[in-house]
Amino acid sequence: MRYLLTLCFLLFFTFSHSQEYTKSFSVELDSIDNILASLPPCKDATIIESAIHRCDELDSLNLSPDDEYTVLQKKSQLLAMLGKYVEGFLTQEKGILRLDTTDIRYLEYFAVKNKYLGNKKLSDSYYDKAIDMCGKMTGKKYKLKKVECLVGKRDLTEAKNTLRRLIKIYNDSDYKMLLKEFDSILEQAIPIDSFMENEFKKYFHLELGE
């Protein structure tokens, strides 16, 4: 379960806008990425904590909203590698709040956060806005993000239908693979969501459901 949760963080928090960095900033990000990309995942807490410290140093600089989001995103992933999933998730909020409120990253973050907090109505509202924004954007990553948001909202019929429409239009192997593995992916996503919901309840001292 821990490996799946860490993998989930690495996949979920890799949706970012393309951007150019200064050489020194890029070198720092690359060194952190090397730890995040290690297979099997790095288990040396000292190395991971050192990378988290480097994230904190970068975050103390006068960064643009996108750069700060990127740094905190990586810190979030590193905390997840230490098993600090809730703290990791919430770490990125400081960077999220600097993004435009119509940014898909902003909308998806608050959709997921409210889902974990048990506020389905508000979560669905954010998901709907993110899905709508994805529909207005061009590029494959936005089409995939739309499907991901539909799954997150648990609008599974529409998620499958969206993939079928994309396959019909683009005949793309990635869309075909997602549709083929859809049920298997969902089987892994559901227990992860349940785990995170319980972890959020414990973190915020909310009453656990029976």
Side-chain angles (χ1 to χ4, degrees):
M1 172 65 84
R2 179 167 176 169
Y3 174 76
L4 284 175
L5 282 162
T6 302
L7 180 61
C8 178
F9 265 73
L10 294 178
L11 292 174
F12 180 82
F13 300 117
T14 51
F15 182 73
S16 57
H17 292 178
S18 298
Q19 51 197 310
E20 295 182 0
Y21 303 112
T22 63
K23 185 175 180 180
S24 60
F25 189 70
S26 182
V27 168
E28 288 288 346
L29 292 183
D30 286 345
S31 68
I32 295 168
D33 282 338
N34 288 335
I35 297 171
L36 292 171
S38 60
L39 289 174
C42 177
K43 295 182 179 180
D44 189 327
T46 302
I47 293 175
I48 297 172
E49 287 168 358
S50 176
I52 290 172
H53 179 66
R54 288 208 297 276
C55 287
D56 289 336
E57 290 179 334
L58 290 173
D59 188 39
S60 68
L61 303 176
N62 185 26
L63 300 176
S64 70
D66 269 331
D67 286 352
E68 182 172 23
Y69 168 82
T70 298
V71 169
L72 293 176
Q73 182 188 60
K74 295 184 187 304
K75 181 180 178 181
S76 175
Q77 295 168 357
L78 290 164
L79 287 166
M81 293 177 76
L82 294 176
K84 299 179 180 180
Y85 301 110
V86 177
E87 182 182 346
F89 184 94
L90 296 173
T91 289
Q92 59 181 324
E93 188 162 320
K94 177 171 172 276
I96 290 288
L97 290 172
R98 290 193 65 196
L99 301 176
D100 190 272
T101 57
T102 62
D103 192 301
I104 294 169
R105 295 168 294 178
Y106 179 102
L107 296 169
E108 187 183 23
Y109 172 82
F110 283 105
V112 176
K113 180 182 179 181
N114 280 285
K115 177 170 65 173
Y116 290 161
L117 287 171
N119 192 338
K120 178 172 171 48
K121 184 176 180 180
L122 187 55
S123 173
D124 285 353
S125 175
Y126 277 112
Y127 270 128
D128 287 339
K129 292 175 183 176
I131 291 164
D132 182 61
M133 286 301 299
C134 287
K136 296 176 180 178
M137 308 295 285
T138 59
K140 184 175 180 178
K141 71 175 183 178
Y142 295 106
K143 293 176 175 61
L144 291 171
K145 180 56 66 175
K146 178 179 179 179
V147 173
E148 183 182 330
C149 288
L150 286 166
V151 172
K153 187 186 174 187
R154 293 296 181 263
D155 192 347
L156 305 181
T157 299
E158 182 56 27
K160 286 185 175 181
N161 287 339
T162 298
L163 283 172
R164 291 187 183 102
R165 289 193 294 270
L166 290 170
I167 291 169
K168 186 175 181 179
I169 296 170
Y170 299 102
N171 194 31
D172 186 281
S173 59
D174 288 338
Y175 301 143
K176 291 179 180 178
M177 183 276 293
L178 280 174
L179 185 59
K180 180 180 178 181
E181 301 296 329
F182 191 92
D183 292 338
S184 175
I185 294 171
L186 187 63
E187 285 178 6
Q188 297 180 51
I190 291 175
I192 289 174
D193 275 357
S194 297
F195 175 86
M196 288 298 292
E197 287 166 11
N198 282 329
E199 289 299 298
F200 261 68
K201 287 174 182 176
K202 288 187 286 185
Y203 187 89
F204 288 104
H205 306 292
L206 300 175
E207 183 178 348
L208 289 170
E210 295 296 325

